Amino acid sequence: MLTGQVLLERIQKNVGVPWQSQRSDGFSDGILEGDADAPVTGVVTSFTPTLEVLRRAVATHKNTIICREAPFYSRGERAPLFWRNSPGPPQEMTDSDPVCRAKQEFITQNHLIILRLSENWDARSSDGQLRGLVRALAWEKFHLPNKNRQEYDPRNVYFQASKNSLGLLAQDLMAKLKIHGVRVIGEATSPVRKVALTHGLLLVADSERMLREQDLDVVIAGDAVEWEAAPYFQDLVTAGRIKGLILIGQQASEEPGSGEMAEWLRSFVTEVPVEWVPAGEPFWVLA
Amino acid sequence: MDHTTLSRRRFCQLAGGGLLLAPTFLRGQSSSGTLTAREVVARIRKHVGVPWRTPTADDFKIGDPDAPITGITTTFMSTLDLLQRSAAAGNNFVISHEPTFWSAADVVSDLRDNPLYHLKLDFIAKHKMVVWRFHDHWHARRPSDGIFAGWDRAMGWENYRVKSDNPFSIQYAIPETSLEDLARDMRKKLNVRSMRLVGDPKLPVTRVGNGGHYILQCMPQLPKVDVLLVFEGREWEAPEYIRDAIAAGEKKGLIQLPHEGGEEEGMRECALWLRTFVDEVPIAFLPSGDPFWIPA
């Protein structure tokens, strides 16, 4: 019988890298919620297990959600690095919080299993998050991979720009990914030819590595800390070292990878249906 | 670190913990009678109304504190663009709320081979500039946090603050508006471009809470407010929290501002405050501005 635990073990066997928790603080990959010995009735993959995603899972008779983020608005770190994010709220706070309580009750009442799969998925030699994002953008034809590496090696992030100015490129990303809250550093009219496409939180060290690439004009990422990589790119633009930075949002940059994850899961989970349910962009913006 | 703390540094500001530094100001005004950055900082320490704490981010980041200063710029973030504008304005002393070298503690050990770091250093040296960070103690200023005093003034919300003894629980009772109208008003008054919103645009709003950066600040506030403000927060925290609150049937909204939107006006306040005890040189607030814009 396919239980939560059996599913986890099958993932561990198929992931292709030694299973590890690479985090010294915070949630590790594995079952965060639910009974590991309960049978899996179906699998939903999503960037983050929002209440709406959980409802959709229940409505389609799937009790197991595999996601990158945890359900209660925290990565569970007690001492987050460099004040970039919040320490996890203590149990007494979440226990008395009406939103957390409503979500916890929904999880319990519907016997849901929530399985986090993030670091081990990212440790694979082919970057599923990048591949998903490239497919969502239909940018395969623009890829400039180093041929000595696997096509979606995590370092193969360079692409020919789909549009020839920073502003048009940003609008192209918005249209393809159907998102609104895209934030840009740099001049809209700056010409762009070569792009680094990344996902998640961009750090200064990552940026420096990418800046060694010849003729790089723009970096695309999910989010940036506003006293780290964001002013770093402001300064790079002022210094004329790059044309710009486009932040498409954490969710938009990581969600297509959950589609890749669903496809990969279907290759070794055949007893139950596996569906990708995008959480969708959380934001809207003023006109 | 205790599980419930927000951050070491921010709690340090509040708790009044930490060692008191002896008031040993090495030099004040130089022999020629010219004002130095060190002398200005000595006056700030005298006027800020709280004992100086350690450890603190509030320190000289670059430049010679004992060189004569020509003018003072207060700003939110000492970006290269801001330094250029300050030099053009004739102000060689920059007081910045946020870091100069792209990390919370302005750690430069990893930047020795970094061309951008050297470019910024060279500009500062060429224009004989000095940068001092004023973060922890401006937040800790008595009688009120200088940053949020400036924010209240910019919004015209000085009289709307709900009384609270908890400086991490700033709330406002405002005349009824909608989430969308509030966001438009805020965008104009705070001069921001990259605001992002969660919730029904028509949501009626009379109570607003400052959620700071962190879910740990947002969670205890939400039951008491209609709308939370967050600036520089990670997307897996407040936006997902409010999205679920709405899905659970609660009438709530979120305004996620750029970091500047939450704090830059506090450095305009800082310039006003400095003028009450520094009159030898010109003092200007120069906004570093919202780093982002959002395509239409």
Side-chain angles (χ1 to χ4, degrees):
Chain A
M1 184 180 62
L2 185 70
T3 64
Q5 184 61 32
V6 170
L7 175 63
L8 176 61
E9 283 163 15
R10 219 183 271 178
I11 288 170
Q12 290 170 333
K13 200 175 123 221
N14 283 276
V15 79
V17 290
W19 188 262
Q20 55 187 314
S21 170
Q22 291 140 322
R23 312 193 73 213
S24 54
D25 186 20
F27 298 129
S28 296
D29 286 353
I31 294 171
L32 298 183
E33 296 285 332
D35 177 4
D37 297 323
V40 172
T41 58
V43 176
V44 156
T45 67
S46 189
F47 162 68
T48 186
T50 63
L51 193 49
E52 288 294 351
V53 167
L54 302 185
R55 283 178 181 154
R56 161 86 196 177
V58 170
T60 58
H61 313 291
K62 303 183 186 79
N63 71 341
T64 301
I65 296 89
I66 303 184
C67 44
R68 289 178 72 82
E69 298 292 344
F72 297 108
Y73 329 109
S74 161
R75 290 182 173 177
E77 293 149 325
R78 297 177 66 239
L81 289 173
F82 310 118
W83 306 286
R84 285 172 186 149
N85 55 281
S86 180
Q91 177 97 35
E92 1 13 312
M93 194 184 280
T94 52
D95 278 355
S96 63
D97 179 76
V99 183
C100 294
R101 273 169 49 183
K103 196 169 191 178
Q104 189 68 64
E105 274 165 28
F106 189 86
I107 291 167
T108 309
Q109 279 167 8
N110 292 285
H111 309 288
L112 298 181
I113 297 170
I114 297 184
L115 194 158
R116 181 183 191 272
L117 179 54
S118 186
E119 278 79 28
N120 288 280
W121 172 250
D122 290 347
R124 287 161 61 83
S125 60
S126 178
D127 182 348
Q129 297 302 109
L130 176 63
R131 196 172 56 238
L133 189 52
V134 171
R135 284 187 181 170
L137 291 168
W139 274 16
E140 293 92 336
K141 59 183 176 294
F142 298 129
H143 206 175
L144 307 169
N146 180 329
K147 298 274 187 329
N148 298 323
R149 298 190 193 121
Q150 205 175 333
E151 187 177 17
Y152 289 103
D153 179 287
R155 290 163 296 182
N156 271 339
V157 297
Y158 304 104
F159 293 79
Q160 190 188 321
S162 61
K163 300 286 172 188
N164 59 16
S165 77
L166 184 64
L168 290 175
L169 176 64
Q171 283 174 332
D172 192 35
L173 292 164
M174 289 167 76
K176 294 259 181 56
L177 300 173
K178 299 182 177 65
I179 52 175
H180 303 96
V182 168
R183 296 172 297 159
V184 185
I185 290 174
E187 293 297 322
T189 53
S190 290
V192 294
R193 297 178 61 156
K194 196 192 272 188
V195 178
L197 180 66
T198 72
H199 49 88
L201 190 65
L202 180 72
L203 300 180
V204 169
D206 308 326
S207 317
E208 262 317 288
R209 202 184 56 247
M210 288 183 270
L211 282 159
R212 291 193 209 112
E213 176 75 10
Q214 288 283 308
D215 306 320
L216 181 66
D217 295 315
V218 53
V219 174
I220 298 169
D223 189 15
V225 179
E226 291 182 40
W227 54 77
E228 298 184 13
Y232 192 71
F233 273 83
Q234 285 181 279
D235 286 356
L236 286 171
V237 169
T238 304
R241 284 193 65 209
I242 201 160
K243 301 291 173 31
L245 172 69
I246 303 176
L247 299 178
I248 60 177
Q250 193 84 20
Q251 187 272 335
S253 80
E254 300 283 27
E255 187 72 80
S258 298
E260 294 294 303
M261 193 185 281
E263 210 174 297
W264 172 74
L265 286 165
R266 279 185 212 113
S267 69
F268 57 86
V269 177
T270 50
E271 303 94 319
V272 296
V274 180
E275 184 193 7
W276 171 34
V277 177
E281 185 185 27
F283 301 112
W284 59 277
V285 299
L286 293 174
Chain B
M1 186 166 157
D2 183 86
H3 194 222
T4 60
T5 52
L6 286 170
S7 81
R8 254 177 282 246
R9 181 147 45 89
R10 302 212 58 179
F11 257 73
C12 219
Q13 296 160 13
L14 281 176
L19 246 62
L20 292 187
L21 277 183
T24 50
F25 303 119
L26 307 176
R27 287 167 62 180
Q29 286 182 280
S30 66
S31 51
S32 65
T34 316
L35 189 66
T36 66
R38 199 187 298 282
E39 165 63 14
V40 173
V41 171
R43 288 187 207 171
I44 288 173
R45 288 169 69 142
K46 216 169 82 192
H47 284 84
V48 79
V50 286
W52 209 252
R53 285 129 191 210
T54 185
T56 178
D58 297 353
D59 205 350
F60 290 102
K61 300 301 173 186
I62 191 76
D64 178 6
D66 298 313
I69 61 169
T70 54
I72 301 172
T73 290
T74 66
T75 193
F76 177 72
M77 181 92 68
S78 41
T79 59
L80 181 57
D81 170 65
L82 183 282
L83 296 174
Q84 290 173 351
R85 284 188 282 130
S86 183
N91 295 344
N92 70 343
F93 181 27
V94 173
I95 297 180
S96 181
H97 188 60
E98 287 292 313
T100 305
F101 298 113
W102 322 296
S103 65
D106 276 300
V107 174
V108 298
S109 52
D110 298 339
L111 299 172
R112 284 194 198 102
D113 301 322
N114 183 309
L116 189 64
Y117 172 58
H118 286 285
L119 194 144
K120 211 164 178 175
L121 285 188
D122 291 348
F123 183 86
I124 288 164
K126 189 176 162 201
H127 294 86
K128 300 187 169 51
M129 300 184 91
V130 52
V131 180
W132 184 72
R133 184 156 178 213
F134 192 23
H135 180 276
D136 303 353
H137 294 81
W138 190 227
H139 274 300
R141 196 265 309 247
R142 291 291 172 270
S144 68
D145 179 324
I147 289 294
F148 297 121
W151 195 89
D152 289 2
R153 188 198 294 268
M155 286 301 297
W157 285 14
E158 298 98 321
N159 299 321
Y160 296 158
R161 273 247 200 145
V162 178
K163 277 210 178 334
S164 165
D165 294 331
N166 179 356
F168 285 123
S169 183
I170 298 175
Q171 284 161 22
Y172 303 90
I174 61 168
E176 183 167 327
T177 182
S178 68
L179 175 59
E180 179 171 356
D181 288 346
L182 174 62
R184 287 192 188 282
D185 186 42
M186 222 172 249
R187 179 165 73 169
K188 199 164 139 230
K189 288 180 176 157
L190 302 174
N191 195 26
V192 295
R193 302 181 293 191
S194 66
M195 174 185 274
R196 294 173 295 167
L197 300 145
V198 182
D200 177 3
K202 297 195 167 48
L203 174 78
V205 182
T206 57
R207 285 273 181 153
V208 178
N210 177 337
H213 308 310
Y214 301 131
I215 188 68
L216 208 49
Q217 278 170 277
C218 294
M219 221 172 248
Q221 291 225 44
L222 193 69
K224 298 172 213 147
V225 301
D226 307 309
V227 165
L228 275 176
L229 299 177
V230 166
F231 34 94
E232 223 301 310
R234 298 278 74 79
E235 290 174 27
W236 60 82
E237 297 185 11
E240 297 301 349
Y241 178 55
I242 300 299
R243 167 147 77 170
D244 275 353
I246 294 164
E250 301 213 28
K251 299 197 178 334
K252 304 289 180 182
L254 174 75
I255 300 181
Q256 182 131 354
L257 295 163
H259 198 177
E260 280 78 1
E263 304 197 34
E264 180 158 78
E265 286 293 332
M267 294 311 283
R268 185 195 303 276
E269 190 75 8
C270 182
L272 298 174
W273 179 74
L274 281 175
R275 286 190 198 118
T276 64
F277 55 85
V278 177
D279 55 9
E280 297 94 325
V281 294
I283 299 170
F285 160 67
L286 291 183
S288 46
D290 186 343
F292 305 111
W293 55 276
I294 293 182

